[in-house]
Amino acid sequence: MARKPATGVTESTAISTQGPFALSGPVDRPEPGSLPLRGDLAHIGLAGRYFVPHYAVPQPRSVMPGGAPLMSSPDERGVEQCTLMEGDSFEVLDISGGWAWGCLSLTGPVGYVRVDRLETLAA
């Protein structure tokens, strides 16, 4: 039996409960630092998998000579997750207060790097 739309709603404007973006319940959140996903922002490659207010297209940067620590938070007191090597490509998703938040790839690792340790890739 077909559903009848609510009064004043035509069949063409009735809300569909099918499709790839149906609200079907909670989504398991990944471990912090494993995917480029925060409460306010995510890598554009995660659109459709995780809902956040904003998605960012990564801006590739290169790690400068001497490397750079990838930190869990945007300060020197954070936990160093790993050391990025000279020449590594880092995908910047957000910059604030002298720190860049981003990832090495869509599958991580994810964290914060001092902006002065990154340089724009040559075109």
Side-chain angles (χ1 to χ4, degrees):
M1 182 171 165
R3 257 186 336 146
K4 182 179 176 185
T7 305
V9 177
T10 66
E11 194 69 41
S12 63
T13 60
I15 297 173
S16 172
T17 58
Q18 297 183 17
F21 303 109
L23 298 177
S24 58
V27 173
D28 291 331
R29 296 299 263 192
E31 287 293 318
S34 63
L35 290 178
L37 173 69
R38 300 189 315 205
D40 65 331
L41 182 68
H43 190 292
I44 190 70
L46 298 176
R49 291 178 39 201
Y50 296 95
F51 179 75
V52 294
H54 303 281
Y55 297 94
V57 174
Q59 302 299 308
R61 300 287 189 268
S62 181
V63 177
M64 295 179 71
L70 181 68
M71 306 299 286
S72 62
S73 61
D75 60 54
E76 302 299 336
R77 296 180 307 256
V79 175
E80 184 175 329
Q81 296 178 224
C82 66
T83 300
L84 305 178
M85 304 306 290
E86 176 182 335
D88 280 349
S89 179
F90 186 74
E91 297 184 357
V92 174
L93 300 168
D94 185 33
I95 295 176
S96 179
W99 291 87
W101 178 74
C103 57
L104 285 176
S105 73
L106 188 57
T107 58
V110 178
Y112 295 86
V113 176
R114 297 278 320 165
V115 172
D116 60 5
R117 302 300 312 142
L118 302 171
E119 60 187 351
T120 304
L121 294 175

